[in-house]
Amino acid sequence: MTTQLRIDFISDIACPWCVIGLRNMEAALAELGDEIAASIRFEPFELNPDMAEGGMDRAAYFAEKYRLPADEAKRRGGAIREAAEATGFAMNTGEGFRIYNTFDCHRLLHWALGEGRQRALKHALFEAYFADNRDISDADVLAEVAAGVGLDEGRAREILAGDEFADVVRTEEQEARRNGVQSVPTIIVAGEYVINGAQPPEIFMRAFRHIAGEVAKKAVAANA
């Protein structure tokens, strides 16, 4: 029997562990096959909501925010790249890599949900940022990425030129924080079960099977 599960994946485009977590989660779902039918929705979270226009060099950002010396920041960056490579994703995040504001990414992702292209856009934005080192705060870049996954480029530019979907993104971010989300990725399954972090595929598989069992029990109890 196939169990239907809604998965709310709370994340930020600027979060490398979100790339890893998503790919591991998708690998787990592929392995589970017909056991789980997942409906995945991406919810917004900004790691750097106050980031200035033009972004900031990542090494300088880590030194300022986390008080990390350059060699430690480099070591951590290498570990993240290795973890990404294990999922089949090649991160190009060496010297000169920058941190950007991602608010407009989240506005486009909300629009893409209604167009049935949210997941495709999420992957494309990760690729543009972490693999191609593109400025994901730039409207031209974002419109081009949107067009690349079959979304209307003119409509994307129209959204980016104004403040459409800004209120809903802010509301969803505030709701996540009210619900205790402090780091990403945070994955909420079936509206109540929480998986934190970029877990390995086998952990996701175990969690999804357990949750599917709980959902089935509740359905039986409700119909008793």
Side-chain angles (χ1 to χ4, degrees):
M1 179 182 293
T2 299
T3 302
Q4 304 280 337
L5 290 181
R6 170 169 167 162
I7 298 174
D8 293 307
F9 194 94
I10 304 172
S11 59
D12 192 9
I13 297 301
C15 166
W17 290 110
C18 294
V19 182
I20 297 162
L22 176 58
R23 292 177 68 88
N24 282 344
M25 185 185 79
E26 289 177 331
L29 289 169
E31 187 68 23
L32 288 167
D34 292 339
E35 288 184 52
I36 304 291
S39 173
I40 303 172
R41 174 174 174 146
F42 296 97
E43 303 285 355
F45 189 97
E46 290 178 85
L47 291 171
N48 313 292
D50 300 319
M51 181 60 64
E53 184 177 351
M56 182 177 184
D57 178 80
R58 186 179 68 167
Y61 170 81
F62 278 140
E64 179 180 305
K65 184 170 182 176
Y66 300 110
R67 300 293 189 265
L68 284 181
D71 57 343
E72 175 63 13
K74 184 176 181 180
R75 186 190 68 78
R76 293 192 184 188
I80 291 171
R81 285 193 295 274
E82 288 178 8
E85 286 170 6
T87 74
F89 188 95
M91 283 192 177
N92 182 20
T93 55
E95 188 173 348
F97 189 76
R98 298 184 71 79
I99 306 291
Y100 296 104
N101 183 283
T102 58
F103 187 71
D104 283 343
C105 293
H106 292 299
R107 292 202 294 132
L108 282 190
L109 283 163
H110 182 82
W111 164 58
L113 175 65
E115 301 294 315
R117 305 297 296 166
Q118 191 188 43
R119 191 168 172 182
L121 181 59
K122 186 76 167 184
H123 278 288
L125 288 169
F126 277 146
E127 187 80 20
Y129 183 47
F130 285 111
D132 300 334
N133 286 343
R134 304 191 74 184
D135 180 353
I136 53 169
S137 66
D138 181 88
D140 289 333
V141 170
L142 292 178
E144 182 182 327
V145 172
V149 298
L151 290 161
D152 185 270
E153 183 173 349
R155 178 72 176 111
R157 290 185 181 278
E158 178 184 319
I159 292 167
L160 293 165
D163 60 0
E164 199 168 353
F165 306 124
D167 287 345
V168 68
V169 168
R170 290 192 180 98
T171 297
E172 289 177 351
E173 289 178 332
Q174 290 164 4
E175 182 178 358
R177 292 187 183 277
R178 279 197 304 270
N179 289 334
V181 176
Q182 297 180 343
S183 62
V184 286
T186 292
I187 301 102
I188 302 174
V189 187
E192 58 179 311
Y193 302 94
V194 179
I195 304 171
N196 288 309
Q199 301 296 333
E202 57 270 22
I203 299 298
F204 276 118
M205 287 178 65
R206 193 180 309 154
F208 289 144
R209 280 185 169 136
H210 172 74
I211 294 167
E214 293 299 306
V215 169
K217 288 177 187 176
K218 289 180 180 180
V220 169
N223 294 322

